[in-house]
Amino acid sequence: MTEENHLIAERRAKIAAWEEAGFTPYAQKFERTHTAAEARTFCEKTKLRESSEILESPKVQAKICGRIMNFRTMGKLSFLKIRDISGDFQICLMKNIFEETFKQFEKLLDLGDFCGFEGEFFITKHGEPTLLVTQVTPLTKSLRPLPEKFHGLADKESCYRQ
C-alpha cells in the first residue's frame, strides 16, 4: 500500500468516526454570515467585547466557513487558519466550550477539510481577528492531503494540465 493510499484509508476511517460521533460528514447546507474578508473588516470597525468576557460566555455572532489550512494545538486551545475565496481567517476552539468533543475535533479534523464555524469575534493579544467557536459543522472531508507547501508541483506545464 502506498503512502497516499494509506492516508486516504485513514481519512475514510475518520469519516466513519464522524458518523459514529453523531456528525454528518457531508452537510447539505450551511448559511454563512461573513466571508473571511468581511469578518476582518467587521472586527476592525466594530468595538468587540473584551476577550475575558467572551471566554466566559461566548455568543453566536457570526457563521464563517472555509478550508482548514493550518492547525495548531496549545493545551486547552486550538487555532485553525481557514481559507475561503476572499482570504484567510483565524478560528479558535476552546476546551472549556466543547468539553468531551474537544479531543475528538483534534483527532478528526485534517488539513484540507471544509468546515463551518459559529461563534463570536474577538481580537487576540497579538492583534489577530479571531472567531471563538461555539459550534463546528463539518461540510466536506478531504480524502487526499493538500500538496506540500514547499515541495509542491514545480513544473508549470504539469500544474496547468493536472
Side-chain angles (χ1 to χ4, degrees):
M1 183 181 276
T2 66
E3 179 66 27
E4 186 172 309
N5 289 339
H6 174 69
L7 290 173
I8 291 172
E10 185 179 298
R11 288 181 180 218
R12 285 184 196 267
K14 288 183 180 183
I15 291 173
W18 271 116
E19 291 171 341
E20 288 175 18
F23 296 105
T24 305
Y26 298 103
Q28 294 190 6
K29 191 175 186 181
F30 184 81
E31 297 287 334
R32 73 174 176 193
T33 58
H34 297 79
T35 63
E38 291 170 346
R40 278 192 180 282
T41 305
F42 179 81
C43 290
E44 291 168 2
K45 292 183 177 179
T46 309
K47 179 164 175 28
L48 302 173
R49 294 192 308 157
E50 292 293 321
S51 58
S52 58
E53 277 182 58
I54 292 170
L55 295 176
E56 290 174 11
S57 62
K59 301 174 184 175
V60 174
Q61 180 183 32
K63 295 180 179 182
I64 189 169
C65 60
R67 182 173 225 168
I68 299 173
M69 301 304 288
N70 191 356
F71 197 103
R72 302 181 316 274
T73 301
M74 299 173 192
K76 295 182 179 183
L77 289 175
S78 288
F79 289 97
L80 291 81
K81 185 72 75 170
I82 64 166
R83 179 174 294 159
D84 67 6
I85 196 160
S86 66
D88 293 349
F89 198 78
Q90 182 168 277
I91 304 293
C92 177
L93 299 175
M94 189 175 188
K95 186 174 184 175
N96 296 351
I97 295 172
F98 289 102
E99 302 297 332
E100 305 88 34
T101 57
F102 181 76
K103 287 290 182 193
Q104 280 183 318
F105 287 135
E106 285 183 343
K107 291 178 186 173
L108 299 178
L109 291 176
D110 288 316
L111 297 181
D113 292 352
F114 287 91
C115 290
F117 303 95
E118 298 179 36
E120 185 172 358
F121 292 120
F122 74 101
I123 305 290
T124 63
K125 64 181 179 182
H126 296 291
E128 180 74 21
T130 305
L131 181 75
L132 180 64
V133 176
T134 55
Q135 185 174 348
V136 177
T137 306
L139 301 176
T140 302
K141 184 72 176 163
S142 173
L143 291 179
R144 296 189 183 275
L146 293 173
E148 289 185 36
K149 189 173 184 178
F150 300 105
H151 304 289
L153 203 51
D155 181 23
K156 291 290 181 191
E157 182 72 21
S158 297
C159 188
Y160 289 127
R161 289 184 184 275
Q162 297 177 8

